[in-house]
Amino acid sequence: ELQQKVEEAELLKMELQMLETERVRLSLVEEKLMDVLQLLQQLRDLNISKRALGKILLSTLESYRDAQPGKAQLFEVLDTLQQELAACELLHKQPVEQAQSRRSLSNPLVISC
């Protein structure tokens, strides 16, 4: 009976470790998904076209088309999508355009209606 209790305890420890591993993996996926969503929000605010966003998404998915679906692939796809979105030219042009618009607004010769 004692041996059975020890085996049950070991089994419970293994299950707990598996759950903890899964929790950490899900936490990483959640963080990566939040990064992707924030980048999408920024690009939407910059009025990037749906076609351009679609091309980024499709090219990302295309690169993983032949891979076996699974938990690891999900994170890889999200990671690649985040990198592709972060590399989008509009995100890097944003500070320059904002600075130019601020300069034009601060020009005392500009009359706004």
Side-chain angles (χ1 to χ4, degrees), residues 15-51:
E15 286 182 32
L16 184 61
Q17 286 176 339
M18 288 173 34
L19 286 173
E20 182 63 22
T21 301
E22 186 67 9
R23 187 192 66 76
V24 169
R25 187 191 70 78
L26 287 173
S27 178
L28 291 172
V29 168
E30 180 183 25
E31 286 177 22
K32 190 58 69 173
L33 187 56
M34 289 299 293
D35 291 344
V36 166
L37 291 174
Q38 286 174 347
L39 286 168
L40 285 171
Q41 181 69 40
Q42 288 175 5
L43 289 169
R44 190 186 79 166
D45 292 344
L46 294 172
N47 295 324
I48 189 171
S49 72
K50 291 178 183 178
R51 180 177 293 239

Side-chain angles (χ1 to χ4, degrees), residues 52-66:
L53 282 175
K55 284 181 181 180
I56 292 170
L57 178 60
L58 289 176
S59 70
T60 300
L61 293 175
E62 185 68 25
S63 64
Y64 290 96
R65 184 175 53 125
D66 297 329

Side-chain angles (χ1 to χ4, degrees), residues 5-21:
K5 296 279 186 190
V6 169
E7 289 173 4
E8 286 177 11
E10 288 297 319
L11 187 61
L12 289 172
K13 277 184 184 179
M14 287 175 33
E15 286 182 32
L16 184 61
Q17 286 176 339
M18 288 173 34
L19 286 173
E20 182 63 22
T21 301

